[in-house]
Amino acid sequence: MVPFLEKFFPDVYTKMKQDNKISNYCKFDSQLLTTFTSSLYIAGLLASFFASSITRAFGRKPSILVGGAAFLIGAALGGAALNIYMLILGRVLLGVGIGFANQAVPLYLSEMALPRYRGAINIGFQLCVGIGVLSANLINFGTEKIKDGWGWRISLAMAAVPATILTLGAFFLPETPNSIIQNSKNHQKAKLMLQSIRGTHDVQQEFEDLIEASIMSNSIKHPFKNILQRKYRPQLVMAIAIPFFQQFTGINVISFYAPILFLTIGLGESASLLSAVMVGIVGTTSTFISMLIVDKLGRRVLFISGGIQMFFSQILIGSIMAAQLGDHGEISKKYAYLILVLICIYVAGFAWSWGPLGWLVPSEIFPLEIRSAAQSITVAVNFLFTFIVAQTFLSMLCHFKYGTFFFFGGWVVIMTVFVYFLLPETKNVPIEQMDRVWREHFFWKRIVGDKIEGKQTVVP
């Protein structure tokens, strides 16, 4: 928004409006603008490690409460910001909120869900992220039209609405049976909770699995050190590779900078915000479709089909920008709208594959004894590479130009091959029995061993 750029990023505004000599691809290349965007992710990265200790020691619920409270304060500071320092401090606190929420919420959902619905329920997390992105874009589209130029304050302050729901709602949430056993040792309370959320009294087998997992978990004093053991190698690889690949799909290029990207290809300010709304609608709808089919088709089918869809759309976007958008002047409206359609196809591919599954699969594959630590690694790697992509994208767009899309397209090929060969199917597998999928996998069984008749033998 122009009043926001004028107040906090005047250099960017000057380049955007007045300097005709600057390449279309370089108008928004500002370290201050990217620091504002990516300060949230560094804060989230650091917060996720603190969140791990709180989640493990006190349960999932306290981490959700801390996350909600940090969101509230961050939204208030952003909406009331008088200078760039206040603006970035508010952004940092939002990052702390996301660090705690992303660490605790997927674990909470996976532990509460029935195995046969775990995929759909956990994808509810990504669906709500999509609804949040769409809501933010709709708010921006509306507030940009406020004549006196203070609409951006509403945009930033509105983050307090979901933050309030999260904070107040967390008070009414029950703790997960896994967490009750791990922290209070009150087995009767945990069994009653398990019966309540499963809707049946026949929970003895699952309950025994939880107790066994808790005994194993409590015997481990240093989960971050323990996760380095050979038997946890597949989980560690996935905790790092999945969030890394999720960011190198290039999705945050679209989600952070969609309005800037649409301005770059020649759409006006209002049209750019409206285009971002359209992308948000496509993303949310596709995530909802993923939620309906993930437990039927499985994780691998969605990962691979989404990867193919993203690859072809990125190559086409890069090719059109290479042919039609020079350093100066504008792309024709016909091609600008074609790029918008291709971005929607790309976002749909991400939204039913790497978007939701990038959170679902890590949250369901870790044994209880390393679950909190491993989820923190997943969140931290996600934030680290989100930060790197956010901090470098505007520079990359300036220097690589249309090649930026080929760069991310290449990564999509690598991650699709990785899933095809190295990620086993996890649908319908109870969360406390997940270790068997690694022991049965052609590659991972060579590393973790193959249990035969109660004995563990390492396959040469």
Side-chain angles (χ1 to χ4, degrees), residues 181 187 210-220 368-369:
I181 293 170
H187 289 187
L210 293 183
I211 291 173
E212 190 181 328
S214 180
I215 292 166
M216 173 76 82
S217 173
N218 288 328
S219 70
I220 290 170
L368 184 62
E369 64 268 21

Side-chain angles (χ1 to χ4, degrees), residues 432-450:
E432 303 304 348
Q433 295 174 24
M434 197 62 73
D435 60 325
R436 79 167 192 244
V437 301
W438 310 109
R439 294 200 309 272
E440 293 166 1
H441 187 270
F442 81 94
F443 175 78
W444 293 116
K445 70 180 180 184
R446 296 168 182 271
I447 292 167
V448 300
D450 188 12

